[in-house]
Amino acid sequence: MFPMDRLGRPLRDLRISVTDRCNFRCPYCMPQEVFGRDYRFLPRDEILSLEEIARVAGVFVSLGVQKLRITGGEPTVRRGLPELVAMLASLRTPEGGPLDLAMTTNGSALRALARPLADAGLGRVTVSLDSLDDATFQRMNGVDFPIAKVLDGIDAALEAGLGPVKVNVVLKRGENDGGILDLASWARDAGHILRFIEYMDVGTTNGWRLDDVVPAMEVVEAISARWPLEAVPARYTGEVAERWRYLDGGGEIGVIASVTRPFCGDCTRARISAEGKLYTCLFSAVGHDLREPLRAGESDAALAERVAAIWGVRDDRYSERRAAATGHLPKIEMFALGG
Ligand code: SAM
Ligand code: SF4
Ligand code: SF4
């Protein structure tokens, strides 16, 4: 039997953070002032090995997970990623079907990695790209990383058969919201699927203010005024993005309105941090350690029971409660959980 949480939500998606490190310092995620040279990232023996990750993923798949997303930190800085992908791609659902296997990346290393990852069995990639303007992009990645390399990485992903590529855009008021139409025009021409994400109050270090959020409907209206859009019905329960289709056949966009239109009621996502903690909500303050039992030799069946018990008492709905929340609750950082 697949577990249901207290609000009747099944466990369908698992996001696996394969590292807490990143070569970027996006201010909304890992601000340089906090994640500078002195910041202590997890030592190697504290992060799950590739084999341990694959084993944990197998346990979740036995409980009904159908979608795996590899993330971070920046997943491509983890050594041996294609080997991990090969292990994950060989997992099968209890019915014997393949899994939906995707990765979210900042795109900086895709020129070198897209092909080996595709060959190993990766299905799709989502690339984060907040602006097409090089100066804005360099400011928003915090390390002056040139946009040309990310655009080339996206091309490499397409060449390797990892398309259509989804492109995540985090919008911050006054920072990159002037570039919405440029991004839309580019993605329409290239066949990419844009996903506009409302800037969230993840973690405690990014100095989030509600005024910084560009509401998803504002984005839809701005784009629709230029290229009319219509809403697309959700494909499945728990779909994160609200989808909109161009009436002229120019593809679709998605908006992830976690601040202005919370979607906790359908949330079927669990997350594993690089050190092997299970989080039942992006905004959970505490994780459940799976590394210790894993390393103590607990069987897959016992691990599955452990995870099912944690999921069975889950009642998270942080985004829906946000309005009432004080904003001072302890929270895990986005880079630790991978979005
Ligand atoms: N490093 C990879 C990347 O940037 O795609 C994967 C990890 S990153 C934490 C996953 C996603 O979370 C990215 O699309 C990123 O833009 C988004 N993200 C990070 N901080 C955010 C915030 N405060 N609000 C909304 N989205 C955020
Ligand atoms: Fe790194 Fe991704 Fe966070 Fe940017 S959003 S700092 S690329 S983990
Ligand atoms: Fe899911 Fe938590 Fe986000 Fe709600 S706030 S959608 S429960 S991860």
Side-chain angles (χ1 to χ4, degrees):
M1 263 302 283
F2 295 155
M4 291 278 200
D5 74 6
R6 284 218 172 121
L7 304 177
R9 299 170 295 189
L11 173 52
R12 287 273 180 264
D13 316 67
L14 180 65
R15 300 195 176 191
I16 306 170
S17 176
V18 296
T19 178
D20 60 336
R21 290 163 201 256
C22 184
N23 55 335
F24 284 13
R25 286 293 177 274
C26 310
Y28 53 72
C29 179
M30 294 176 77
Q32 184 77 58
E33 315 83 80
V34 182
F35 300 93
R37 212 172 291 153
D38 296 336
Y39 185 81
R40 273 203 61 224
F41 288 97
L42 292 168
R44 180 191 272 264
D45 61 337
E46 285 185 24
I47 64 171
L48 295 188
S49 68
L50 302 181
E51 290 72 18
E52 286 171 334
I53 293 174
R55 223 189 119 198
V56 169
V59 166
F60 277 80
V61 169
S62 76
L63 294 172
V65 160
Q66 295 168 348
K67 293 177 67 177
L68 297 176
R69 180 168 290 276
I70 300 168
T71 174
E74 173 48 38
T76 58
V77 306
R78 177 82 194 248
R79 235 178 281 162
L81 202 58
E83 286 87 324
L84 175 66
V85 166
M87 286 188 255
L88 297 178
S90 70
L91 295 173
R92 289 291 171 269
T93 65
E95 299 77 37
L99 297 166
D100 183 359
L101 183 56
M103 175 175 82
T104 306
T105 170
N106 62 26
S108 59
L110 279 179
R111 173 49 67 193
L113 276 174
R115 177 70 61 189
L117 291 173
D119 288 349
L122 189 68
R124 292 174 296 122
V125 286
T126 299
V127 179
S128 302
L129 178 67
D130 296 330
S131 175
L132 285 175
D133 174 66
D134 200 20
T136 308
F137 179 69
Q138 294 198 23
R139 194 170 60 244
M140 288 189 79
N141 64 47
V143 293
D144 301 334
F145 195 88
I147 193 170
K149 280 190 108 169
V150 175
L151 295 177
D152 184 51
I154 293 176
D155 287 345
L158 288 177
E159 288 157 25
L162 293 172
V165 171
K166 285 189 188 144
V167 177
N168 275 358
V169 183
V170 174
L171 286 176
K172 194 167 175 201
R173 178 77 73 200
E175 190 77 37
N176 61 337
D177 50 342
I180 294 173
L181 290 183
D182 283 351
L183 279 160
S185 170
W186 166 75
R188 278 167 56 86
D189 290 346
H192 307 318
I193 303 169
L194 283 181
R195 290 282 153 105
F196 290 98
I197 306 178
E198 287 179 350
Y199 170 52
M200 287 185 287
D201 53 336
V202 198
T204 50
T205 54
N206 70 5
W208 185 85
R209 298 177 319 139
L210 191 54
D211 290 352
D212 293 331
V213 178
V214 181
M217 281 320 292
E218 188 180 315
V219 180
V220 172
E221 279 161 22
I223 296 179
S224 204
R226 176 75 180 76
W227 298 283
L229 288 163
E230 64 177 358
V232 182
R235 269 170 303 196
Y236 55 89
T237 319
E239 191 166 37
V240 183
E242 296 173 37
R243 295 161 57 217
W244 296 80
R245 180 165 48 210
Y246 290 109
L247 291 180
D248 66 3
E252 66 172 65
I253 65 158
V255 289
I256 301 181
S258 39
V259 177
T260 60
R261 285 142 79 110
F263 39 79
C264 302
D266 288 340
C267 179
T268 55
R269 286 178 298 286
R271 298 171 156 87
I272 297 284
S273 67
E275 60 193 318
K277 286 193 175 152
L278 162 61
Y279 290 88
T280 55
C281 175
L282 179 54
F283 299 93
S284 302
V286 282
H288 305 266
D289 184 27
L290 299 181
R291 188 185 66 201
E292 207 270 324
L294 194 67
R295 291 188 179 171
E298 196 162 279
S299 69
D300 282 5
L303 276 171
E305 251 176 64
R306 183 186 286 275
V307 172
I310 293 167
W311 192 261
V313 297
R314 173 186 192 243
D315 62 359
D316 303 294
R317 45 190 190 86
Y318 176 86
S319 286
E320 289 181 355
R321 289 202 184 109
R322 181 190 275 105
T326 63
H328 297 298
L329 301 170
K331 283 172 274 156
I332 185 89
E333 302 293 340
M334 189 84 169
F335 71 89
L337 279 189

